[in-house]
């Protein structure tokens, strides 16, 4: 059996088209488009490329996008004042501070200064609490877990009553996706187990999974024999395992592998995400969805 591929690259296109259409309709009705600001401190090349991608995607779906670049020596007080300015700006619905920040700035203090109603990353403690409560309390589910849930739903995988096993318990992937899958509601209502380095028999847990979500950051951690035949496997891991020369550009690019032995796993699973091209493209996509939601909340129609 060869698993059905769940492609983030395809699902991203569907969702971005849906967002573009909604933005257009809202603009016609309310004369307003969602505003997203990205604050970049310094000139870390990886941060620049992440910010550029976010801004390009925001532009593509018709948002007002603002890239606010600040010098690496900006003081913490000035950065907090900048956030305060965007918190008060009605044309801005989402505020992103690109991490990492320079060492003289307290990251936690800065992130917690973002108005929770503009925290489209969903990492503010208020939004973490809202996610935990679930239902209509949830405003901005964090983007990677939201992307994972969207992929499972759009792939037509039944979640109600499913055994979901999550490998990893980070605050950005493992814990929130586990929490989301156990909520009572559509696309969830599952029985959830979370495994980690303290787990005694990881293999036994994984073998029970109807939906196996792996976010450990360890290439090839999940062996094909740990996969239940027909299971849905979501591989969140992105591991650089070497370099190659791109056929397109002639430049050196990273060779990426997931946490699952994809070639063998696809012969056992019912559906599976590849790496790259699986979960990866979903994160920025869901960031756009959260920013659109933010404007709808502001307009009282969310
Ligand atoms: P993280 O903060 O390092 O957390 C990894 C989790 O996996 C921890 O809970 C850790 O357990 C667990 N773990 C590590 N090795 C393990 C092992 N051998 N057995 C069992 N559990 C193990 O990582 P993260 O931020 O969640 O990211 C995980 C992976 O997803 C990374 O490869 C990252 O690059 C990728 N990722 C991709 C996207 C995307 O595609 N958009 C977004 C975010 C992350 P302990 O808690 O016990 O240490």
């Amino acid at each position: 059996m060869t698993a059905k591929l769940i492609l983030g690259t395809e699902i991203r296109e569907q969702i971005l088209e849906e967002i573009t259409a909604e933005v257009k309709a809202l603009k016609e009705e309310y004369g307003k488009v969602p505003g997203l600001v990205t604050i970049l401190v310094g000139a870390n090349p990886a941060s620049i490329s992440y910010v550029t991608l976010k801004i390009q995607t925001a532009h593509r779906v018709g948002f007002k996008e603002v890239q606010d670049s600040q010098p690496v020596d900006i003081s913490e007080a000035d950065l907090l004042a900048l956030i305060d300015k965007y918190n008060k700006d009605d044309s801005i619905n989402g505020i992103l501070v690109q991490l990492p920040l320079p060492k003289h700035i307290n990251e936690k203090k800065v992130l917690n200064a973002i108005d929770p109603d503009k925290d489209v990353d969903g990492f503010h403690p208020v939004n973490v609490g809202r996610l935990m409560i679930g239902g209509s309390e949830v405003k901005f589910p964090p983007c990677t877990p939201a992307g994972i849930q969207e992929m499972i739903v759009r792939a037509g995988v039944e979640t109600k009553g499913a055994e979901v096993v999550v490998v990893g318990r980070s605050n950005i992937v493992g814990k929130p996706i586990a929490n989301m899958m156990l909520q009572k509601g559509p696309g969830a209502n599952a029985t959830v187990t979370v495994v980690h380095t303290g787990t005694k028999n990881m293999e036994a847990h994984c073998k029970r999974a109807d939906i196996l979500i792996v976010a450990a950051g360890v290439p090839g951690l999940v062996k094909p024999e740990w996969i239940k035949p027909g299971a849905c496997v979501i591989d969140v891991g992105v591991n650089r395992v070497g370099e190659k020369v791109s056929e397109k550009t002639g430049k050196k690019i990273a060779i990426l592998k997931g946490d699952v032995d994809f070639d063998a796993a696809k012969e056992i699973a019912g559906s599976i995400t590849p790496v790259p091209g699986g979960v990866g493209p979903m994160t920025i996509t869901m960031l756009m969805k959260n920013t659109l939601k933010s404007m709808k909340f502001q307009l009282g129609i969310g």
Side-chain angles (χ1 to χ4, degrees), residues 144 167-174 195-198 202 214-218 221 236-239 259 279-283:
T144 302
V167 182
R169 56 176 162 188
S170 72
N171 288 329
I172 63 163
V173 189
V195 302
H196 43 75
T197 57
M202 217 165 80
V214 192
V218 180
L221 174 68
V236 191
V238 180
N239 306 291
D259 290 350
V279 176
M282 295 300 292
T283 303

Side-chain angles (χ1 to χ4, degrees), residues 79-98:
L79 186 56
L80 290 171
L82 192 66
I83 289 171
D84 189 48
K85 182 187 95 171
Y86 288 120
N87 280 343
K88 290 175 178 150
D89 183 341
D90 284 346
S91 72
I92 296 296
N93 302 100
I95 303 172
L96 296 176
V97 178
Q98 186 63 45

Side-chain angles (χ1 to χ4, degrees), residues 186-221:
N189 221 354
T191 303
V192 182
T193 305
V194 183
V195 302
H196 43 75
T197 57
T199 300
K200 277 191 183 133
N201 188 347
M202 217 165 80
E203 178 176 351
H205 289 290
C206 291
K207 275 181 167 164
R208 273 202 335 268
D210 300 311
I211 301 172
L212 181 60
I213 301 169
V214 192
V218 180
L221 174 68

Side-chain angles (χ1 to χ4, degrees), residues 52-68:
T52 306
L53 205 53
K54 288 171 190 173
I55 289 294
Q56 280 172 349
T57 312
H59 182 74
R60 172 181 162 181
V61 295
F63 289 0
K64 165 186 167 173
E65 88 287 339
V66 179
Q67 183 172 344
D68 191 330

Side-chain angles (χ1 to χ4, degrees), residues 13 20 89 174 282 286:
E13 294 308 306
T20 308
D89 183 341
M282 295 300 292
M286 300 315 286

Side-chain angles (χ1 to χ4, degrees), residues 29-261:
E29 193 168 349
Y30 296 92
K32 187 174 178 3
V33 298
L36 179 68
V37 61
T38 311
I39 302 173
L40 174 69
V41 178
N44 176 319
S47 295
I48 292 173
S49 78
Y50 290 136
V51 165
T52 306
L53 205 53
K54 288 171 190 173
I55 289 294
Q56 280 172 349
T57 312
H59 182 74
R60 172 181 162 181
V61 295
F63 289 0
K64 165 186 167 173
E65 88 287 339
V66 179
Q67 183 172 344
D68 191 330
S69 295
Q70 294 294 327
V72 72
D73 59 354
I74 185 175
S75 70
E76 186 179 285
D78 284 350
L79 186 56
L80 290 171
L82 192 66
I83 289 171
D84 189 48
K85 182 187 95 171
Y86 288 120
N87 280 343
K88 290 175 178 150
D89 183 341
D90 284 346
S91 72
I92 296 296
N93 302 100
I95 303 172
L96 296 176
V97 178
Q98 186 63 45
L99 301 180
L101 290 172
K103 291 216 164 30
H104 66 279
I105 296 176
N106 182 334
E107 267 184 16
K108 206 167 158 187
K109 202 168 167 185
V110 168
L111 294 182
N112 289 354
I114 297 172
D115 178 347
D117 290 347
K118 295 189 179 188
D119 165 47
V120 286
D121 261 337
F123 293 142
H124 192 288
V126 168
N127 284 317
V128 175
R130 287 168 170 165
L131 190 78
M132 190 72 170
I133 296 167
S136 59
E137 287 292 322
V138 181
K139 283 207 156 174
F140 308 120
C143 301
T144 302
I148 294 169
Q149 189 179 37
E150 192 85 38
M151 294 178 99
I152 294 170
V153 169
R154 288 187 188 235
V157 175
E158 178 62 87
T159 57
K160 186 180 174 196
E163 289 279 347
V164 171
V165 175
V166 179
V167 182
R169 56 176 162 188
S170 72
N171 288 329
I172 63 163
V173 189
K175 279 186 206 159
I177 189 61
N179 183 21
M180 288 161 76
M181 296 308 292
L182 71 78
Q183 298 292 340
K184 198 168 182 175
N189 221 354
T191 303
V192 182
T193 305
V194 183
V195 302
H196 43 75
T197 57
T199 300
K200 277 191 183 133
N201 188 347
M202 217 165 80
E203 178 176 351
H205 289 290
C206 291
K207 275 181 167 164
R208 273 202 335 268
D210 300 311
I211 301 172
L212 181 60
I213 301 169
V214 192
V218 180
L221 174 68
V222 169
K223 309 287 174 268
E225 59 273 21
W226 297 10
I227 295 167
K228 181 174 167 179
C232 169
V233 179
I234 307 288
D235 189 354
V236 191
V238 180
N239 306 291
R240 286 167 190 263
V241 295
E243 278 187 342
K244 63 178 179 185
V245 176
S246 161
E247 282 175 22
K248 261 193 201 165
T249 62
K251 286 185 183 163
K252 273 190 185 171
I253 52 167
I255 301 173
L256 302 177
K257 285 252 187 285
D259 290 350
V260 177
D261 176 353

